[in-house]
Amino acid sequence: MLAGCTSLGPATIRRDRVDFAEAIVDATKREALLNIVKLRYADTPSLVSVNQLVAGYSINGTVSVGTDFLDRSFNFANDVNLGASGSFTENPTVTYAPIAGEDFARAMLTPIPPSELFAMLAAGAPPDVIGLAVQSINGLRNWSTTAPGATPADPTFIEVLDLLTTLRRDALIGFAFETQAGVLHADLLINAPPDAALVPSA
């Protein structure tokens, strides 16, 4: 009767749905970052998708009562037996599928939108991830292996990455995301330090 009055469904949805979603998103970000590094150093990338997630729960409880009430020598302490037991089982099942063929080619040949890179930075990835994923910033050339004899990066490009790292460390960098015509756009925001002196423009 006690087990029949207990409901697992609503409680597990409120608790586990967010946890599963965060775990899948975190794993996707880690996979994307790993593939960026692999591509940067001419290694073979790999992609795996989560096709299905099934979480099964079961709860069981039993209560037993035994007595020798009709015995002439009935003694409550010795002739009444009480017992209770319960169990809880959780069986999550995750189905993975490797991405290959046309889907793999589309995923690897599609350029990474700046909004995705900024989202990774906002989630805690170091600014160096930009140096692994972009070819240039405002005309400043990144290190490349496509041309015969790898070409080094423009020194100013490295300086930009160092400045972004410093701004991130000092909590002076932020991001703003907005959707325009169904496309996600991201803006890089750089805040002036609180004690910075205001310099009038010419």
Side-chain angles (χ1 to χ4, degrees), residues 7-195:
S7 176
L8 286 179
T12 56
I13 291 176
R14 285 192 295 267
R15 182 188 68 243
D16 294 343
R17 179 172 178 173
V18 175
D19 292 340
F20 280 126
E22 289 182 351
I24 292 175
V25 171
D26 183 65
T28 302
K29 291 178 181 178
R30 291 168 61 91
E31 182 185 56
L33 183 59
L34 176 61
N35 283 328
I36 289 174
V37 176
K38 286 183 176 181
L39 290 173
R40 188 69 179 83
Y41 293 99
D43 197 358
T44 303
S46 60
L47 295 173
V48 175
S49 64
V50 177
N51 280 1
Q52 188 178 34
L53 174 60
V54 179
Y57 306 90
S58 64
I59 183 171
N60 300 299
T62 60
V63 177
S64 61
V65 179
T67 179
D68 292 333
F69 182 73
L70 299 179
D71 194 334
R72 293 182 178 180
S73 60
F74 174 77
N75 186 312
F76 184 82
N78 297 327
D79 296 334
V80 175
N81 301 316
L82 301 176
S85 63
S87 64
F88 173 76
T89 305
E90 179 180 2
N91 297 311
T93 302
V94 183
T95 303
Y96 299 98
I99 300 177
E102 182 180 350
D103 293 335
F104 179 81
R106 183 183 302 108
M108 299 311 301
L109 296 178
T110 302
I112 301 176
S115 59
E116 297 294 333
L117 291 176
F118 287 167
M120 295 178 66
L121 295 179
D128 291 342
V129 70
I130 295 180
L132 297 173
V134 302
Q135 295 179 347
S136 64
I137 298 178
N138 289 348
L140 303 177
R141 188 184 64 255
N142 190 9
W143 181 75
S144 175
T145 59
T146 56
T151 56
D154 190 314
T156 312
F157 182 91
I158 305 299
E159 184 179 356
V160 169
L161 297 183
D162 293 339
L163 289 174
L164 288 176
T165 302
T166 302
L167 293 171
R168 179 65 177 273
R169 182 195 61 202
D170 296 338
L172 299 177
I173 192 172
F175 308 93
F177 299 91
E178 61 179 347
T179 302
Q180 299 177 359
V183 179
L184 179 63
H185 295 270
D187 296 321
L188 178 65
L189 307 178
I190 300 177
N191 302 318
D195 56 348

